[in-house]
Amino acid sequence: MEGRKLTRNRYGRKKRKVGIRNVVENTYYIFCEGEKTEPLYFREMANVIAHNAIYKNVVQVFVKGTGLNTTGIVEYAARFINENGITKGSVWCVFDKDDFPARKFDSSSKLANEYTKKTNNLVQYQIAWSNECIEYWFLLHFSYLDADISRTDYQERLTKYFHSNGHGAYAKNSDELFDILTNDGNPKNAIRWAEKRLDSYDMDTILNHPSKIAPGTTVYKLVKVLAKYFPDEIRGKYL
């Protein structure tokens, strides 16, 4: 029928063409510490959202790897927002604890709040941290963990789960990471387990002293924000 053509997106789901508003209502700026792992992971989420006709031109996700860390990435994000004349949006800074000083890691949330206030809350700066590394968030898709282990141990455990599902070893530069975690892992459990881990701590520690939470992560908060824009069959695996 004229005006009701069906198209098929990259995930095979047929969808009806619909009228779309031209004004972008929600823009997310994601600045990652890493220049490979995190950007690839979040860009794939951005691609999934971009292929959802309901939110086309209504939601935009910008992802950039910076090679910076802790407060440095928050300051970089603020400069980017200022230099590009951005007056509204949601800014997320994604970084790991690694071996960086606890003082700088812990002060990042306070700095983000200060930048938010400077914009009269029109630009919301938020932190998505992992202690020790984002691989903890990835591992939660397969099993719960509350023991502090090394980065190498995380990669070895992820490789074990990847192999058991017919994939090669875990690789930081893999553009299949999002699909593997979504289809072979359990994103709902990952979110639930990340929240469960933080339930052991008071809010002051979570906000101001995350260096004391090992392992732990708040990446799930950003994932939940983005997942609500996924197509139904993918969103159902997350929320």
Side-chain angles (χ1 to χ4, degrees), residues 1-38:
M1 291 182 292
E2 186 66 22
R4 301 182 64 187
K5 294 180 180 179
L6 295 175
T7 58
R8 187 180 297 272
N9 64 17
R10 60 171 292 196
Y11 292 94
R13 184 187 180 202
K14 291 181 178 179
K15 60 178 184 291
R16 193 178 305 280
K17 286 188 175 180
V18 296
I20 297 297
R21 290 166 291 178
N22 292 322
V23 178
V24 175
E25 297 181 351
N26 298 284
T27 305
Y28 298 90
Y29 302 91
I30 303 174
F31 297 91
C32 304
E33 170 188 348
E35 297 181 273
K36 293 182 180 179
T37 308
E38 296 94 334

Side-chain angles (χ1 to χ4, degrees), residues 189-214:
N189 273 351
I191 292 171
R192 185 181 305 117
W193 284 336
E195 292 174 331
K196 174 183 176 181
R197 177 61 181 152
L198 294 186
D199 283 344
S200 304
Y201 299 87
D202 59 60
M203 190 56 63
D204 179 67
T205 300
I206 295 171
L207 293 177
N208 302 312
H209 306 284
S211 61
K212 297 181 179 180
I213 306 175

Side-chain angles (χ1 to χ4, degrees), residues 87-188:
T87 58
K88 182 180 178 181
S90 182
V91 175
W92 286 84
C93 300
V94 183
F95 55 85
D96 297 343
K97 167 63 174 68
D98 291 331
D99 296 323
F100 298 112
R103 177 182 56 81
K104 298 200 70 173
F105 184 70
D106 291 342
S107 63
S108 298
S109 181
K110 180 180 179 181
L111 183 60
N113 289 335
E114 291 174 356
Y115 281 125
T116 296
K117 291 178 181 178
K118 289 181 179 179
T119 70
N120 293 319
N121 297 319
L122 293 176
V123 179
Q124 296 282 331
Y125 288 82
Q126 302 183 71
I127 302 298
W129 56 262
S130 295
N131 188 4
E132 160 180 359
C133 55
I134 197 171
E135 279 77 12
Y136 175 63
W137 163 245
F138 299 156
L139 185 61
L140 289 177
H141 287 70
F142 302 98
S143 66
Y144 181 69
L145 178 71
D146 59 9
D148 189 13
I149 61 177
S150 71
R151 179 182 291 271
T152 299
D153 288 333
Y154 282 117
Q155 295 176 358
E156 290 177 351
R157 294 191 185 201
L158 283 169
T159 290
K160 181 183 72 173
Y161 286 114
F162 280 28
H163 283 166
S164 67
N165 286 286
H167 303 287
Y170 167 75
K172 296 180 71 65
N173 61 348
S174 173
D175 57 7
E176 298 180 344
L177 181 60
F178 172 77
D179 287 338
I180 293 174
L181 295 177
T182 299
N183 297 314
D184 296 319
N186 190 321
K188 276 188 178 180

